[in-house]
Amino acid sequence: MSTPTDRPRRALVTGASSGIGAATVRRLRAEGWDVVATARRADRLDALAAETGASAVVADVTSAVDVDALVAHVRDSGGLDAVVNNAGGAFGLDPVEHADVEQWRAMYELNVLGTLRVTQGVLPLLRERGGGDVVVVTSTAAHGAYPGGAGYTAAKHGERMLSETLRWEIVGEPVRVIEIAPGAVATEEFSLVRFDGDAERAAQVYAGYEPLVAEDVADAIVWTLTRPAHVNVDLLVVRPRAQANNTTIARSQG
């Protein structure tokens, strides 16, 4: 999207304390963007801010109070050209029959309602700029099912429908709505959180093939943000070469 030459474009990145979020902050800063990084963990945010020159705001996207304060900070400190809704996560890998209802609730609250809260809050800021970008980082889980994944796939399907419906609802406005759907991405925390800290089980997810890394997804995000203003990348699916779909991965033997 276009921006006046006297200021850099400004982005808000959620879930910025690690993984894809942190990589996106680093990449945007390297491209000359002004970045507001937000997440729940102050120590990690502060370290990222010191490293990159981004500004850090501690906020939990599942808290309406936190999101309101975050939006107010962004508005009062310079406005916004783009938001990268990256905060999310998976909890558990249980079959439907034995699923933990509270894990499902937590995944919906984080992945869907967190994205909803932030997007609702920043849309007026994007309009004040004369246009901007809403990026939603979903997952290939938003486009297919797999055994044990019903809670996460349900949440990511919901997040996908949020972004697609928003695009239809605001068509004609100079606001792009972009969905990035990564496949298997080896980050330091995603599978570890999913398996409640079981490092051995988490490592098995990525054994025998080369998965994506956070920087691969950050590269895709920034590419979509830097297309000409009339170009909207509705959906970008990014998988490792070895992964054909959610359940088919070519793994080496031994």
Side-chain angles (χ1 to χ4, degrees), residues 22 25 28 30 33 36 49 52 65-66 71 79 91 97 101 114 123 131 136 196 208 215 220 223 227 249 254:
V25 171
L28 286 170
W33 287 57
V36 179
T52 64
V65 172
D66 280 13
V71 172
F91 309 120
E97 183 179 4
V101 171
L123 271 173
V136 180
D196 198 26
E215 289 75 16
W223 179 80
R227 296 311 85 206
I249 299 176

Side-chain angles (χ1 to χ4, degrees), residues 18-245:
S18 66
I20 293 169
T24 301
V25 171
R26 293 185 179 100
R27 178 60 188 276
L28 286 170
R29 287 294 297 147
E31 294 281 335
W33 287 57
D34 182 10
V35 180
V36 179
T38 188
R40 293 174 300 169
R41 293 174 292 186
D43 56 339
R44 285 175 172 258
L45 280 182
D46 289 344
L48 183 64
E51 172 196 340
T52 64
S55 61
V57 179
V58 176
D60 181 346
V61 299
T62 68
S63 165
V65 172
D66 280 13
V67 172
D68 286 348
L70 171 64
V71 172
H73 170 84
V74 172
R75 181 187 62 241
D76 295 343
S77 61
L80 198 66
D81 296 290
V83 61
V84 179
N85 285 296
N86 168 72
F91 309 120
L93 195 64
D94 298 323
V96 171
E97 183 179 4
H98 304 295
D100 184 323
V101 171
E102 291 309 311
Q103 286 186 334
W104 280 47
R105 193 189 315 278
M107 284 187 281
Y108 191 84
E109 184 72 40
L110 176 57
N111 293 280
V112 184
L113 299 186
T115 295
L116 176 63
R117 286 188 184 93
V118 172
T119 301
Q120 286 179 330
V122 302
L123 271 173
L125 306 186
L126 300 178
R127 288 171 174 142
E128 287 172 11
R129 279 279 217 253
D133 297 314
V134 176
V135 176
V136 180
V137 181
T138 62
S139 166
T140 53
H143 298 266
Y146 57 90
Y152 184 57
T153 60
K156 285 301 185 183
H157 273 73
E159 191 178 27
R160 170 191 167 200
M161 287 298 99
L162 182 160
S163 61
E164 185 169 328
T165 304
L166 175 63
R167 188 183 305 114
W168 295 2
E169 290 171 346
I170 65 172
V171 64
E173 295 189 37
V175 176
R176 304 188 296 193
V177 182
I178 299 162
E179 179 189 351
I180 308 291
V185 185
T187 63
E188 65 266 39
E189 293 187 315
F190 180 84
S191 289
L192 200 61
V193 169
R194 179 169 220 170
F195 298 128
D196 198 26
D198 187 334
E200 183 176 352
R201 190 178 180 193
Q204 287 303 308
V205 174
Y206 311 112
Y209 71 103
E210 184 176 2
L212 301 178
V213 294
E215 289 75 16
D216 296 322
V217 183
D219 182 57
I221 291 168
V222 175
W223 179 80
T224 65
L225 287 171
T226 53
R227 296 311 85 206
H230 69 288
V231 177
N232 196 107
V233 181
D234 288 17
L235 168 64
L236 182 57
V237 177
V238 187
R239 301 184 196 267
R241 185 183 62 207
Q243 183 181 31
N245 56 49

